[in-house]
mmCIF file of all heavy atoms in Angstrom:
data_model
loop_
_atom_site.group_PDB
_atom_site.id
_atom_site.type_symbol
_atom_site.label_atom_id
_atom_site.label_comp_id
_atom_site.label_asym_id
_atom_site.label_seq_id
_atom_site.Cartn_x
_atom_site.Cartn_y
_atom_site.Cartn_z
ATOM 1 N N TYR A 189 -117.598 0.716 -17.553
ATOM 2 C CA TYR A 189 -117.908 0.278 -16.193
ATOM 3 C C TYR A 189 -118.857 -0.915 -16.181
ATOM 4 O O TYR A 189 -118.709 -1.831 -15.357
ATOM 5 C CB TYR A 189 -118.486 1.445 -15.389
ATOM 6 C CG TYR A 189 -117.489 2.562 -15.214
ATOM 7 C CD1 TYR A 189 -117.713 3.830 -15.752
ATOM 8 C CD2 TYR A 189 -116.288 2.338 -14.543
ATOM 9 C CE1 TYR A 189 -116.779 4.842 -15.610
ATOM 10 C CE2 TYR A 189 -115.359 3.351 -14.396
ATOM 11 C CZ TYR A 189 -115.603 4.593 -14.934
ATOM 12 O OH TYR A 189 -114.669 5.590 -14.798
ATOM 13 N N TYR A 190 -119.829 -0.937 -17.088
ATOM 14 C CA TYR A 190 -120.723 -2.095 -17.138
ATOM 15 C C TYR A 190 -119.973 -3.357 -17.581
ATOM 16 O O TYR A 190 -120.252 -4.460 -17.101
ATOM 17 C CB TYR A 190 -121.898 -1.826 -18.083
ATOM 18 C CG TYR A 190 -123.066 -1.143 -17.413
ATOM 19 C CD1 TYR A 190 -123.543 0.086 -17.862
ATOM 20 C CD2 TYR A 190 -123.711 -1.730 -16.336
ATOM 21 C CE1 TYR A 190 -124.626 0.712 -17.260
ATOM 22 C CE2 TYR A 190 -124.793 -1.118 -15.721
ATOM 23 C CZ TYR A 190 -125.237 0.097 -16.189
ATOM 24 O OH TYR A 190 -126.309 0.702 -15.575
ATOM 25 N N THR A 191 -119.027 -3.202 -18.484
ATOM 26 C CA THR A 191 -118.242 -4.357 -18.919
ATOM 27 C C THR A 191 -117.384 -4.872 -17.767
ATOM 28 O O THR A 191 -117.283 -6.089 -17.551
ATOM 29 C CB THR A 191 -117.337 -3.976 -20.113
ATOM 30 O OG1 THR A 191 -118.157 -3.505 -21.185
ATOM 31 C CG2 THR A 191 -116.540 -5.167 -20.600
ATOM 32 N N ALA A 192 -116.764 -3.946 -17.022
ATOM 33 C CA ALA A 192 -115.974 -4.353 -15.857
ATOM 34 C C ALA A 192 -116.859 -5.039 -14.828
ATOM 35 O O ALA A 192 -116.453 -6.042 -14.207
ATOM 36 C CB ALA A 192 -115.291 -3.137 -15.242
ATOM 37 N N LEU A 193 -118.087 -4.537 -14.636
ATOM 38 C CA LEU A 193 -119.022 -5.166 -13.694
ATOM 39 C C LEU A 193 -119.385 -6.572 -14.142
ATOM 40 O O LEU A 193 -119.425 -7.511 -13.325
ATOM 41 C CB LEU A 193 -120.280 -4.304 -13.570
ATOM 42 C CG LEU A 193 -121.408 -4.866 -12.704
ATOM 43 C CD1 LEU A 193 -120.925 -5.192 -11.300
ATOM 44 C CD2 LEU A 193 -122.575 -3.876 -12.654
ATOM 45 N N SER A 194 -119.621 -6.743 -15.425
ATOM 46 C CA SER A 194 -119.924 -8.071 -15.953
ATOM 47 C C SER A 194 -118.770 -9.033 -15.700
ATOM 48 O O SER A 194 -118.968 -10.204 -15.342
ATOM 49 C CB SER A 194 -120.212 -7.977 -17.453
ATOM 50 O OG SER A 194 -120.412 -9.247 -18.011
ATOM 51 N N PHE A 195 -117.556 -8.529 -15.874
ATOM 52 C CA PHE A 195 -116.332 -9.306 -15.629
ATOM 53 C C PHE A 195 -116.297 -9.773 -14.175
ATOM 54 O O PHE A 195 -115.995 -10.937 -13.879
ATOM 55 C CB PHE A 195 -115.132 -8.401 -15.928
ATOM 56 C CG PHE A 195 -113.837 -9.109 -16.184
ATOM 57 C CD1 PHE A 195 -113.676 -9.947 -17.271
ATOM 58 C CD2 PHE A 195 -112.745 -8.898 -15.358
ATOM 59 C CE1 PHE A 195 -112.466 -10.572 -17.525
ATOM 60 C CE2 PHE A 195 -111.533 -9.520 -15.589
ATOM 61 C CZ PHE A 195 -111.393 -10.356 -16.681
ATOM 62 N N VAL A 196 -116.634 -8.863 -13.247
ATOM 63 C CA VAL A 196 -116.645 -9.189 -11.814
ATOM 64 C C VAL A 196 -117.732 -10.211 -11.509
ATOM 65 O O VAL A 196 -117.506 -11.185 -10.770
ATOM 66 C CB VAL A 196 -116.859 -7.910 -10.976
ATOM 67 C CG1 VAL A 196 -117.138 -8.254 -9.509
ATOM 68 C CG2 VAL A 196 -115.637 -7.004 -11.063
ATOM 69 N N ILE A 197 -118.919 -10.009 -12.077
ATOM 70 C CA ILE A 197 -120.042 -10.921 -11.821
ATOM 71 C C ILE A 197 -119.708 -12.334 -12.277
ATOM 72 O O ILE A 197 -119.946 -13.323 -11.562
ATOM 73 C CB ILE A 197 -121.317 -10.410 -12.518
ATOM 74 C CG1 ILE A 197 -121.827 -9.137 -11.825
ATOM 75 C CG2 ILE A 197 -122.411 -11.478 -12.512
ATOM 76 C CD1 ILE A 197 -122.932 -8.418 -12.575
ATOM 77 N N GLU A 198 -119.141 -12.462 -13.467
ATOM 78 C CA GLU A 198 -118.834 -13.785 -14.024
ATOM 79 C C GLU A 198 -117.797 -14.528 -13.187
ATOM 80 O O GLU A 198 -117.841 -15.747 -13.081
ATOM 81 C CB GLU A 198 -118.340 -13.642 -15.460
ATOM 82 C CG GLU A 198 -119.442 -13.259 -16.440
ATOM 83 C CD GLU A 198 -118.909 -13.014 -17.841
ATOM 84 O OE1 GLU A 198 -117.736 -13.366 -18.088
ATOM 85 O OE2 GLU A 198 -119.655 -12.461 -18.669
ATOM 86 N N ARG A 199 -116.849 -13.777 -12.589
ATOM 87 C CA ARG A 199 -115.739 -14.421 -11.879
ATOM 88 C C ARG A 199 -115.885 -14.475 -10.368
ATOM 89 O O ARG A 199 -115.273 -15.298 -9.709
ATOM 90 C CB ARG A 199 -114.425 -13.710 -12.235
ATOM 91 C CG ARG A 199 -113.943 -14.102 -13.608
ATOM 92 C CD ARG A 199 -113.054 -13.054 -14.241
ATOM 93 N NE ARG A 199 -112.645 -13.500 -15.571
ATOM 94 C CZ ARG A 199 -113.453 -13.505 -16.631
ATOM 95 N NH1 ARG A 199 -114.697 -13.092 -16.511
ATOM 96 N NH2 ARG A 199 -113.016 -13.928 -17.799
ATOM 97 N N ARG A 200 -116.724 -13.580 -9.810
ATOM 98 C CA ARG A 200 -116.789 -13.487 -8.351
ATOM 99 C C ARG A 200 -118.188 -13.657 -7.771
ATOM 100 O O ARG A 200 -118.332 -14.086 -6.638
ATOM 101 C CB ARG A 200 -116.233 -12.129 -7.887
ATOM 102 C CG ARG A 200 -114.758 -11.936 -8.193
ATOM 103 C CD ARG A 200 -114.347 -10.505 -7.893
ATOM 104 N NE ARG A 200 -112.948 -10.274 -8.225
ATOM 105 C CZ ARG A 200 -111.955 -10.297 -7.343
ATOM 106 N NH1 ARG A 200 -112.210 -10.528 -6.076
ATOM 107 N NH2 ARG A 200 -110.708 -10.078 -7.717
ATOM 108 N N ASP A 201 -119.209 -13.253 -8.505
ATOM 109 C CA ASP A 201 -120.555 -13.220 -7.927
ATOM 110 C C ASP A 201 -121.591 -13.483 -9.006
ATOM 111 O O ASP A 201 -122.292 -12.575 -9.452
ATOM 112 C CB ASP A 201 -120.791 -11.851 -7.269
ATOM 113 C CG ASP A 201 -122.136 -11.790 -6.541
ATOM 114 O OD1 ASP A 201 -122.760 -12.844 -6.366
ATOM 115 O OD2 ASP A 201 -122.547 -10.685 -6.151
ATOM 116 N N ASN A 202 -121.692 -14.732 -9.414
ATOM 117 C CA ASN A 202 -122.575 -15.074 -10.520
ATOM 118 C C ASN A 202 -124.053 -14.920 -10.179
ATOM 119 O O ASN A 202 -124.907 -14.953 -11.059
ATOM 120 C CB ASN A 202 -122.304 -16.516 -10.982
ATOM 121 C CG ASN A 202 -122.848 -16.772 -12.372
ATOM 122 O OD1 ASN A 202 -122.764 -15.921 -13.250
ATOM 123 N ND2 ASN A 202 -123.438 -17.943 -12.572
#
Side-chain angles (χ1 to χ4, degrees):
Y189 296 117
Y190 273 121
T191 301
L193 176 56
S194 176
F195 200 64
V196 169
I197 290 170
E198 288 175 12
R199 284 155 181 74
R200 296 172 182 262
D201 185 11
N202 198 39

